[in-house]
Amino acid sequence: MAAPNLPLQQRTVGQVLAAAVARVPDKLFLAHGEQRLTYRQLDQVTNRVGNALAALGLAKSSKMGLMVPNSLEFLTAMFASAKLGAIYVPMNLDYKGDILGYQLAKADVSHMVIDARYLDRLAAVQGALPKLTHVIVRREPGIEAPAASFDPRIVLLDFATLEQASDRAIEAEVAFDDLFLISFTSGTTGPSKGVLATHCHVLTFSLDWIEANGYGPDDVLYTPLPLFHAIATWLGVLPTAICGATAYIADRFSASRFWDEARACDATVVHGIFAIVPMLLKQPPSPLDRQHRVRVFYIGQQNDEFEARFGARVVEVYGATETGIVTFTPLDQVRRKGSCGLANGRSYEVKILDEQDNECPPGVPGEICVRPRQPYSMMREYYNMPAETVAAFRNLWFHTGDSGRMDADGYFYFVDRKKDAMRRRGENISSFELESVFYKHPKVMECAAVAVPSPLGEDEVKIVVVPREGEAVTAAELWDFCRALMPAFWVPRYIEFRNSLPKTPNQKVQKYLLRQGVEQGEVFEDPKARDMKGERRRA
């Protein structure tokens, strides 16, 4: 199914919602737990919340922080902000201390919508937030808020009071090139950067997601991913609004409950991330594995075993918060194993460039670089970081920081994050490809490959493994498995076993924590490994 034709001038979140309300006012739009909102109801409640926020001084281009777990209140605040032309700033729910204070201060947040359970974290950093004037607290029955006190200059009030305001239409003028949000990157190699995105950027992302997944008005989306992340909102809730479809939002991802929850809401499209595919495959087989309507799993690496077992196609794309969906394979075209697809020529130019920004020949790895074909379909800048913005857009190409290659037929292949790549014995190693081999072992639930220092000046390879529950696996068994399936220079010198991997709430492994060298499990060194001098060493 082709994405709807949405002219640039109509690419604002408010216009998208208004169009859906006009078409399907009483259709279920959003569900979370027992809560339900039709398109008309969401429109009305967002008018109330928006009018109340406007009375509190939130205006066009004002910055509103949003630190709320998956809930309809999160989305009510987001849509209200969009209608006002304000800029919302979603916060990772794990953040506290310096990182929380840094991002809120960097974004110039003046209003904060926050769940009561995180109030003490905000109170602890309020001294770093001179522009903060209002804190709006979402309270949930049965959950006690921690003690927190705020400077008298900051006004506190409950979110529920906002919902009592007038539901008259919000009359703010918002254009497609106006700003919608600031989304912070992970900041694993330096201070996190705030991606400043327009309405057009985000909705172009949504339209391309619709195209890649064949999403339409009869679809039902199930997402267990956090709403502060782009997949659940930009590639879930907003495409649903564009199409007039229905979205079900879970509290969080659970491998054991995933298919039951998707089945219960009659989902046709489900959200995940790459690491979730092997996690679901490691669940015990069930006669219900194909008893559902799910036709698409977004996003993962193409996996024949997954598709045969669960009957759902894994959609693999390449994209980034700063850009959009850069590559994908249309549903009516043949996929290539290991490829993240063809260039999304409707929205972007895509090239593989070397260190001097020359185009790499087919098959030769380089950096994936992107530029837009339409106005305002990529980020405007890294907010308040002009030097970083200029560096990222060197030579008029956005440099993604990812390594990839393109074959002679124009199919792209992701190799690795440049910062995650390893070099050993003069050879480059993709941590992504190495991990893909480990995931084939039936006793491995999760894994992460990282570089550790070598006295020889390059890297040694370490793999951190979480065994499948109830399974006993030895380092010797894994090394035998590696040697049968990997080049010799890929075989990890060190294997560490842990009960879990450090992750973000979006289930991405925080590899920078693994690189710090703090061992939390039992570590084994390959007895066959030797330095060039013949000496043994430990990580």
Side-chain angles (χ1 to χ4, degrees), residues 40 204 230 239 342 424 449 503 513:
R40 190 200 312 271
T204 299
L342 299 158
R424 186 188 193 197
K503 295 179 183 177
L513 295 175

Side-chain angles (χ1 to χ4, degrees), residues 96-97 100 114-126 145-150:
K96 62 180 71 174
L100 177 62
I114 187 168
D115 191 273
R117 72 195 81 184
Y118 310 125
L119 273 174
D120 57 337
R121 302 187 197 177
L122 182 62
V125 299
Q126 62 183 303
S149 60
F150 287 85

Side-chain angles (χ1 to χ4, degrees), residues 44 72 191 214 221 227 249 254 269 306 367 379 382 393 453 533:
Q44 291 170 340
L72 296 189
L221 173 74
L227 289 169
I249 299 149
S254 165
V269 177
F306 183 95
E367 185 170 6
M379 78 163 185
Y382 289 122
F393 283 98
K533 296 179 181 180

Side-chain angles (χ1 to χ4, degrees), residues 150-209:
F150 287 85
D151 190 292
R153 68 179 176 83
I154 297 174
V155 177
L156 271 75
L157 65 160
D158 284 355
F159 188 90
T161 64
L162 274 57
E163 298 175 322
Q164 307 306 313
S166 168
D167 65 358
R168 69 181 184 278
I170 293 172
E171 297 179 355
E173 293 186 5
V174 182
F176 75 102
D177 58 342
D178 283 332
L179 297 168
F180 176 50
L181 89 158
I182 298 173
S183 178
F184 279 91
T185 63
S186 58
T188 56
T189 58
S192 50
K193 300 185 287 289
V195 174
L196 192 59
T198 63
H199 284 251
C200 186
H201 170 196
V202 172
L203 290 176
T204 299
F205 211 152
S206 299
L207 289 163
D208 289 336
W209 183 88

